[in-house]
Amino acid sequence: MPAPVTSKSLDQQLELAKRCSRAALTGAKAAAVATIVSAVPTLASVRMSPWAKANINPTGQALIISSVAGMAYFIAADKKIISLARQHSYENAPEHLKDTSYKGTARLHSSFFRP
């Protein structure tokens, strides 16, 4: 049977949703910056470079700019998600899992020594 919905559980869910949305916002900011950073040299090269002027049409320019923005979004969002996951998984882990020291208790499997 599911637990009853309380004000405390709703607050916890809201806090979790806010934490998760940080990654999307970080990705969106990175995409906006990457769009501007990639648009300026792309458009400038098409105006000044004879090769680019002859070979890159407006569709190609849009593809270059949007692909860089998309990559920036996913890279930034992924980095933020991973950092939040690492931070919160260690905080909420049981004490016996927080101890990462090697105790030397592992044994090699007997088939390891077969000739």
Side-chain angles (χ1 to χ4, degrees):
M1 184 170 191
V5 177
T6 63
S7 176
K8 184 179 179 182
S9 68
L10 290 175
D11 289 340
Q12 288 174 342
Q13 288 180 352
L14 180 63
E15 182 62 33
L16 180 64
K18 285 180 182 178
R19 255 190 269 147
C20 293
S21 67
R22 276 189 241 160
L25 290 175
T26 303
K29 289 177 189 175
V33 170
T35 301
I36 294 167
V37 169
S38 66
V40 171
T42 302
L43 296 175
S45 69
V46 170
R47 305 280 185 251
M48 293 181 218
S49 168
W51 178 88
K53 189 180 267 188
N55 293 309
I56 302 177
N57 62 14
T59 304
Q61 295 172 31
L63 281 171
I64 292 169
I65 293 166
S66 63
S67 63
V68 170
M71 287 186 297
Y73 175 82
F74 285 109
I75 290 169
D78 192 44
K79 285 176 68 174
K80 186 68 173 180
I81 289 168
I82 289 173
S83 70
L84 287 172
R86 284 184 180 152
Q87 176 186 358
H88 296 295
S89 66
Y90 186 77
E91 287 174 358
N92 298 330
E95 288 302 318
H96 71 280
L97 294 177
K98 288 183 181 180
D99 181 17
T100 58
S101 62
Y102 177 70
K103 304 228 182 341
T105 57
R107 286 185 5 212
L108 293 176
H109 194 273
S110 61
S111 66
F112 180 77
F113 293 108
R114 256 190 255 165

